[in-house]
Amino acid sequence: MASALAAKMGLNSLRRKQAKNFNVRITTMDADMEFSCEVKWKGKDLFDLVCRALGLRETWFFGFQYDVKDTVAWIKMDKKVLDHDVSKEEPITLNFLAKFYPENAEEELVQDITQHLFFLQVKNKILEEEIYCPPEASVLLASYAVQAKYGDYDPNVHKLGFLAQEELLPKRVINLYQMTAEMWEERITSCYAEHRGRTREDAEMEYLKIAQDLEMYGINYFPIRNKKGTDLLLGVDALGLHIYDPDNKLTPKCSFPWNEIRNISYSDREFAIKPLDKKTDVFKFNSSKLKVNKLILQLCMGNHDLFLRRRRVDSLEVQQMKAQAREERARKRENDGAEDAGGGDDGPQDG
């Protein structure tokens, strides 16, 4: 029995060595794509291929996420894809997601594709209630999502019931009030009608500008224990590290902004946050799982690097991207303006 098992394992290993390619399915917030990859490829080889396929140049926000046991992990760019703890059943599925969030979406997100992927990801997190959103803000966000999808409101086209199949509000918000689906649609539509003239890109950016002010926006939460053994939550985001009670993800007990942290050390499963102010106590904590510790460390390093990057002059590449984006948007507005001025009775218009 043992020899048969060993022979089978050896055969699988031989097949893998003989195979020069493997198939990967990349799931983005917008669509799925499949690629044939070489066995020797590292994370960066596949990442560069996907970014080229998407036309995405603001690569520093994104990564490949995959599920591992009861947590998630990210593909390391300098490690072979197949050396990660991913399911080897083909096609290997990886999620292309934003790993890091901007401090200010309007200032930082340059390309329309970057903005669109962020919009879809944040919208999904709000609807899945991973980001808490109050009822009034939920209705306003829903109205911008409708503007982004349907364009300008037209009472002859957008009649009651046109949003019946859309998921626009978190279930928690819907359950708070004794309102029918039609009543919610009327509320959303009355806001939607006020957004006339906004392009899809404008509407998505307005959505992000509201969403980024929500308390749970862009935060990754991890269960931790302090040195006394008290259960807490660690929040990691673009601005720093935050410590929460496990039953309150909205208001941190204390925060450590990146510019006030001297360093974060990690050894023997214990983290130590050392503030710049030497009079302030070092905060020590640990998480029970090694994989979670690695994820915390990755997110701390990446967010801190981006924090520093934002405070430097834009690289030449980013300056060129911003200039190109401005020109493209100006040209698009001119074209839209010309169509509006010359349109009217020339034929049917998109709703």
Side-chain angles (χ1 to χ4, degrees):
M1 182 73 180
S3 60
L5 183 63
K8 187 176 179 184
M9 288 174 67
L11 184 62
N12 286 339
S13 173
L14 183 63
R15 279 179 185 149
R16 175 61 71 194
K17 282 177 183 172
Q18 286 175 339
K20 293 184 178 178
N21 294 76
F22 62 98
N23 295 317
V24 176
R25 176 180 293 126
I26 303 297
T27 300
T28 76
M29 295 304 297
D30 214 9
D32 289 355
M33 301 180 287
E34 292 211 8
F35 298 93
S36 176
C37 308
E38 295 181 32
V39 168
K40 65 182 181 181
W41 275 13
K42 294 182 178 178
K44 190 169 188 326
D45 297 313
L46 177 57
F47 185 73
D48 288 347
L49 178 64
V50 171
C51 289
R52 281 199 302 274
L54 290 169
L56 179 75
R57 294 174 65 190
E58 293 171 276
T59 56
W60 45 88
F61 292 115
F62 297 90
F64 294 131
Q65 191 187 81
Y66 62 97
D67 295 322
V68 50
K69 292 177 184 170
D70 54 352
T71 185
V72 296
W74 296 85
I75 294 288
K76 291 182 178 173
M77 295 297 160
D78 58 352
K79 183 175 175 180
K80 283 185 181 178
V81 175
L82 292 176
D83 286 349
H84 290 79
D85 193 13
V86 294
S87 166
K88 300 303 188 289
E89 187 177 331
E90 295 187 31
I92 295 168
T93 300
L94 302 172
N95 299 310
F96 186 85
L97 292 168
K99 186 176 182 181
F100 306 108
Y101 283 67
E103 285 178 43
N104 185 319
E106 190 171 30
E107 285 182 11
E108 290 177 54
L109 302 184
V110 179
Q111 288 187 284
D112 289 341
I113 179 62
T114 316
Q115 179 182 298
H116 183 58
L117 290 173
F118 265 102
F119 161 74
L120 293 174
Q121 187 165 329
V122 171
K123 179 162 77 82
N124 183 63
K125 283 183 174 288
I126 288 171
L127 293 176
E128 293 292 321
E129 299 182 31
E130 292 176 40
I131 297 175
Y132 170 78
C133 188
E136 285 303 316
S138 296
V139 170
L140 183 56
L141 289 173
S143 71
Y144 278 117
V146 174
Q147 178 72 20
K149 181 170 182 176
Y150 289 93
D152 285 345
Y153 172 66
D154 181 344
N156 297 317
V157 176
H158 305 122
K159 295 178 179 177
L160 189 62
F162 85 104
L163 297 178
Q165 302 305 314
E166 300 284 348
E167 186 186 1
L168 293 168
L169 296 169
K171 286 185 174 59
R172 175 190 48 78
V173 170
I174 294 169
N175 294 336
L176 274 175
Y177 301 93
Q178 298 294 314
M179 288 173 63
T180 63
E182 290 77 14
M183 291 162 74
W184 280 116
E185 182 172 324
E186 284 175 355
R187 293 240 4 231
I188 292 168
T189 303
S190 68
C191 286
Y192 162 47
E194 295 175 9
H195 303 327
R196 175 169 289 280
R198 292 187 188 275
T199 63
R200 186 190 85 171
E201 292 76 20
D202 292 340
E204 289 180 350
M205 182 51 72
E206 289 303 319
Y207 189 105
L208 289 173
K209 281 159 65 177
I210 296 163
Q212 71 187 4
D213 289 334
L214 300 173
E215 283 90 343
M216 293 170 68
Y217 169 88
I219 300 177
N220 285 280
Y221 294 92
F222 301 96
I224 59 166
R225 283 197 175 105
N226 64 13
K227 57 186 178 183
K228 293 179 183 173
T230 307
D231 287 330
L232 298 165
L233 282 178
L234 171 73
V236 185
D237 73 358
L239 298 174
L241 303 177
H242 316 280
I243 310 300
Y244 300 83
D245 277 325
D247 57 354
N248 181 0
K249 289 183 174 180
L250 296 179
T251 311
K253 290 162 63 74
C254 63
S255 289
F256 301 91
W258 293 122
N259 62 346
E260 293 178 17
I261 295 175
R262 185 161 83 253
N263 70 17
I264 300 166
S265 59
Y266 170 63
S267 63
D268 297 328
R269 298 191 176 222
E270 183 178 73
F271 286 87
I273 303 173
K274 297 178 183 173
L276 276 175
D277 183 356
K278 294 183 179 176
K279 294 176 187 172
T280 306
D281 291 340
V282 172
F283 182 81
K284 293 186 177 181
F285 66 90
N286 63 62
S287 110
S288 57
K289 295 181 180 131
L290 187 60
K291 283 189 183 300
V292 174
N293 285 338
K294 288 179 177 177
L295 183 53
I296 291 171
L297 198 60
Q298 276 183 37
L299 290 171
C300 285
M301 290 167 61
N303 274 299
H304 185 252
D305 286 348
L306 282 175
F307 177 85
L308 296 176
R309 176 180 181 151
R310 289 180 189 111
R311 280 144 187 83
R312 293 195 291 264
V313 176
D314 285 339
S315 67
L316 188 60
E317 181 194 9
V318 173
Q319 288 178 40
Q320 288 172 341
M321 281 168 55
K322 285 183 174 177
Q324 186 179 349
R326 279 195 298 270
E327 286 171 13
E328 284 175 4
R329 281 171 192 157
R331 189 161 57 244
K332 189 172 181 183
R333 286 198 176 96
E334 279 177 22
N335 291 340
D336 289 347
E339 282 177 17
D340 290 343
D345 300 326
D346 292 342
Q349 302 295 311
D350 289 333

